[in-house]
Amino acid sequence: MAHSMNMWIHNGDWVSGTSKEDERFIGYVESVDAYGTVKVRVTQCDHTEAVGEIVESSLARLEKMSEEIQMDEADLKAMMDLALMTRDKAWFEDLYSALRMVQFQSKPHTGKDRGTSFGTGGRRVTID
């Protein structure tokens, strides 16, 4: 039954699992072939030399990670930098919206601050 849940793993999904060399890792899916072999770009691993590399695993050895990860303001700003470096405008805009929500939720609310703006402080960013 666990294997059928893993059938929903697609390119770009974050997964944790074990490689064919029995390394525990976390990373994102680069590709899935028709035979269930998955290539994963490793971001964390118990074998430090594998970080940043692509490892192979099977669907049966992977678990899709939850997409409900809470990020704080620093995490979101770091991800926004990555979106800028990769020139991914849609991702940047999504992250910026999430940052505004985090800032809004962390600010103490009084009756006076309803007109508060969460702009970039006059800084404009252009992504080609």
Side-chain angles (χ1 to χ4, degrees), residues 66-114:
S66 172
E67 294 180 18
E68 297 298 319
I69 298 172
Q70 294 294 326
M71 290 191 271
D72 64 13
E73 192 169 337
D75 294 333
L76 288 166
K77 287 179 178 179
M79 296 294 282
M80 287 170 69
D81 288 341
L82 184 57
L84 287 171
M85 287 187 285
T86 59
R87 304 177 87 67
D88 190 331
K89 183 177 181 180
W91 186 28
F92 179 85
E93 290 172 350
D94 289 343
L95 291 167
Y96 181 69
S97 294
L99 176 64
R100 290 180 59 191
M101 286 303 296
V102 167
Q103 289 171 334
F104 178 76
Q105 290 169 350
S106 67
K107 183 175 178 156
H109 299 288
T110 64
K112 299 184 242 176
D113 58 352
R114 289 200 174 170

Side-chain angles (χ1 to χ4, degrees), residues 56-71:
E56 287 189 359
S57 187
S58 64
L59 284 171
R61 300 182 92 177
L62 296 177
E63 184 175 324
K64 187 173 179 179
M65 296 181 72
S66 172
E67 294 180 18
E68 297 298 319
I69 298 172
Q70 294 294 326
M71 290 191 271

